[in-house]
Structures are given as C-alpha cells and as structure tokens.
Amino acid sequence: METVSTLIIGAGAAGCLCAVLCARGGERVTLLEKNEKTGKKLFITGKGRCNVTADYPPDEFLSGVVHGEKFLRSAIYSFTPENTKEFFRDLGVELVTERGNRVFPASGKSSDITRAFDRALKAAGVDVKLDSEVKSVKFENKVFKVLTADGKEYTADNVVVATGGKSYPATGSTGDGYEIAKSFGHTVVKPVPSLASLFTEESVRELCGISLKNVTLSAVTADGKRLGGKFGEMLFTDRGLSGPVALTLSTELNRVSGAVLHLDLKPALSHEKLEARILRDFEERKNGDLKNVTRALLPERLNLYVLKRAGLQPDKKINSVTKEERKRLADTVKDLTFRLKSIAPFEEAVVTSGGVSLKELTPKCESRLQKGLYFVGEVTDCDAVTGGYNLQIAFSTAAAAAKDILSRKDSEK
C-alpha cells in the first residue's frame, strides 16, 4: 500500500494542472491515469491544435458559460485566462491569439501542450502512474483508500477526481468519475453530449462539405421557445449541420426534443432588402434561367437546394417568375428550416453537459458530503460554448482545488 498526501485521478487538462500546482506547493502527489499516456484527449482538442483558453477578462469569459456561471465565478477570477497563458509560457510554450480570442500554441501542435505538462509534472516531482485504472475510492479510518484495476492500493489525505465526462470515450472519458461521485452519495446531473453536430430529419447529404460564413442559426422548441440566434460560420455534413454556430446552439438543444432549426443565409440583409436585390437581379437578366441568376446569392449546390425547398423550378425563365415566387425564394433564403432529429452522440461531442451537481460542491470544488474529496473539470456540471472556454474551466477548477488543498496544509502546520 502506497501512502501519499494528495492523489489525483485522471491526467487530462484538469488533473495535470492540479497535480503540478499541488506538488509545487509541497504536496506529495500521485497522479493515476488509465491510459498509456497523459493528455490523450488534450492531444485531439481544437482539431489537434489545442485551443487552450478564450482570452477574455473574467467577466466577459463567464458570459460564454452555459451551465455553472455562478459556481465558476470564484475559480475563474482566481485563475484567469491570463494565468493560463502565463503558466504555459513559463513552460516554454509560445502562444498565439487568433480570431475570436482563441489561444493556441504558436506551432499549431497540441503536442506542445501535452509535452509541457509532462515536463512540469516531472519537474514538480509528481509520481505519474500510467495504465492505472481506478476501480474504487473509499473513505475509511480518516483516509481515502483507492484501489486500481491491477490490484494496487493507495491511501491519501485528499483525492481529486479529474476523470472528464463521457465525450470522446475512445480517449478514456467513459464516465468513471460519476460512479465515484455516486459512491459518496453525490447527485449526478444526467450527462448529455454538448458542442455536437445537429442531425436533421431532412436529408442534406447533397450539401455535405459546404461551408458558410456570416449566417445565423436559431431554433424554436416544441413549446414555442426561441433559442440561439447564433451568428458565424456553419458547415453542412452528410447528416446535418455542424461548425461553430451549430455546435454552440447544441448547448441549448441537448435536453429538448421536437425543435425546428431556422437558418438565415443572409442575416446582413433585411427581408425587404433581400427582395429588392432579387428583383434587381431578375430585371437585369430577364431572359436567364432562374438557377443561373440566383447563383449570385448562394453556392451552386446550396442554390439548387434552396430553389427546391422554395418549390421553384431551377430552369424556369426569369421573365415568367411571379411576385409570389420571388417572395417564396426570399422567405426560404431568410428562413431555411430543418427539423432536429438528434444531437450527435458522445463519440462525436466536444464536451459533456451534466455531471456532479454543483449544489454539492464548494466554490473550491470540494465535496460538501466528504471533506478532502474534490471534483474538477468536465466531471462537474459545468460547460460552455466552443472556443477554449471548456479547457479554461478545467484549468480554473483544478487551480481552485489545488489552492484549497495547499491552504489547508498551511493551516495545519
């Protein structure tokens, strides 16, 4: 049996940072990771580029939080996006801030972040145990007892659960932390995929690969509630809608059913101005085919799809298009609708929404049910929009737990 002061379960973003900070503060730290290497999920984030944070002041950052804004306020103000940048820069990682205040390694390689963590863990003296899947955590005789799948047992004064959620389960995020939480009597808010593509009832296979800029996507639920109004970039897939606006809207749709998606392909134009532009184009090319004239509005495949959805014949001559048909075209461009079939599954979701109930955690991420037990990162019921927010939540909650552990150690001296 091995005895340590702090044992951390999960060597992802939250676990690695918490381990480094605790060890730098004098804690004897063991970090258990079920995979064969640290940072397996970190390696694939940001399409392999690792969007480490959203570079905003805390108050602006918190506006991007979907669940847990009030709970996270203390943690985000204590360990800000600027602190995250400083942490990695101190480890020799050059960073760049791109459009949307997204911060990446200048190299464009997530391996810079995972290697930096490995260096920091080693330098701080953290005992990293790979291929060490935790089977149970118990609290007996005033200490935690942690048993791994290979039969090893550890005792610790503090345990930090940083196992992630259920998104990208191939990286090891299979919901292990929820079972640990439940074993201590914690409530787990049902986990659902978030920042995931939107699958539609209507087939959009013919539009697959078309990328759009400057569109607005919103939704209306079965009970009439309007959600979203997200402006930005979108991508058609073979099963539905993806890209930043779709992923962001998924955070509001992952617990509803029967919603209808509304896509405005020309949000910069009012309905009246769009109709005026269409009329002008038609008057300039009265003898042309409809599909050739409207191609100035939209990409070719999308143009044909919109005409079909508007009930218009692509080869119809402009001089025979009626006023009512022009209006139908404008209506469809401004409001192309799709019935939401489902959100993409955990295997394709960027993050998990749901997790350990925040009502049962202190602002320092310590369990209110068991002193010395902490839950940080995606395992908690915190999630945010895309763009580096969720990694920052992982870092800030990890830092909050580390600070609490170290302050308690200092008070006991």
Side-chain angles (χ1 to χ4, degrees), residues 69-339:
E69 178 185 354
K70 184 178 179 181
F71 172 82
L72 289 168
R73 183 164 293 274
S74 173
I76 296 297
Y77 270 90
S78 296
F79 195 88
T80 68
E82 188 61 36
N83 293 137
T84 295
K85 289 161 59 181
E86 290 173 3
F87 177 83
F88 287 111
R89 283 171 176 159
D90 287 345
L91 293 174
V93 180
E94 185 180 348
L95 302 171
V96 293
T97 302
E98 299 185 0
R99 184 167 52 88
N101 291 49
R102 300 171 184 232
V103 180
F104 295 89
S107 66
K109 297 178 180 179
S110 59
S111 56
D112 279 8
I113 300 300
T114 56
R115 281 199 295 260
F117 265 136
D118 285 340
R119 291 194 303 272
L121 290 166
K122 184 177 181 180
V126 176
D127 186 11
V128 180
K129 305 283 191 182
L130 302 175
D131 298 307
S132 297
E133 182 178 359
V134 171
K135 299 306 291 183
S136 67
V137 180
K138 297 179 180 179
F139 188 76
E140 299 174 351
N141 300 321
K142 299 183 179 180
V143 293
F144 290 97
K145 293 183 179 180
V146 179
L147 181 67
T148 60
D150 58 2
K152 292 182 180 178
E153 191 172 356
Y154 301 84
T155 63
D157 297 322
N158 307 293
V159 167
V160 180
V161 180
T163 50
K166 295 184 72 174
S167 62
Y168 294 135
T171 65
S173 296
T174 52
D176 301 354
Y178 305 143
E179 298 310 311
I180 296 173
K182 289 176 183 177
S183 73
F184 282 90
H186 275 282
T187 304
V188 174
V189 178
K190 182 183 177 181
V192 294
S194 193
L195 296 184
S197 298
L198 306 175
F199 294 167
T200 59
E201 295 283 359
E202 293 80 4
S203 173
V204 291
R205 190 177 296 274
E206 63 203 271
L207 304 177
C208 183
I210 294 178
S211 179
L212 302 174
K213 294 183 178 180
N214 304 322
V215 297
T216 297
L217 184 65
S218 58
V220 176
T221 63
D223 59 2
K225 183 179 180 182
R226 191 169 187 85
L227 303 172
K230 311 300 181 184
F231 175 81
E233 299 177 10
M234 199 202 79
L235 172 72
F236 284 102
T237 70
D238 61 340
R239 293 172 291 177
L241 316 182
S242 191
V245 294
L247 298 187
T248 299
L249 186 57
S250 76
T251 66
E252 300 180 59
L253 292 173
N254 49 20
R255 297 184 187 275
V256 303
S257 59
V260 175
L261 306 174
H262 294 263
L263 177 61
D264 184 347
L265 294 166
K266 296 292 179 183
L269 296 177
S270 66
H271 203 291
E272 293 74 19
K273 287 184 177 180
L274 176 62
E275 284 198 67
R277 175 180 168 175
I278 291 172
L279 179 59
R280 185 177 68 248
D281 290 348
F282 282 13
E283 288 178 342
E284 290 175 355
R285 301 179 63 183
K286 292 181 180 179
N287 296 318
D289 290 345
L290 180 59
K291 66 182 179 183
N292 294 331
V293 178
T294 55
R295 197 163 57 189
L297 274 176
L298 302 166
E300 186 171 0
R301 281 185 291 147
L302 181 57
N303 176 43
L304 293 174
Y305 182 85
V306 166
L307 290 175
K308 180 173 68 175
R309 289 290 301 273
L312 301 173
Q313 294 299 319
D315 296 326
K316 188 170 187 176
K317 295 298 181 182
I318 292 297
N319 55 22
S320 63
V321 175
T322 66
K323 180 179 180 181
E324 189 276 333
E325 288 174 326
R326 283 202 319 269
K327 184 179 183 304
R328 269 203 334 260
L329 173 60
D331 289 345
T332 307
V333 171
K334 291 293 290 180
D335 189 17
L336 183 59
T337 61
F338 302 93
R339 291 167 296 162

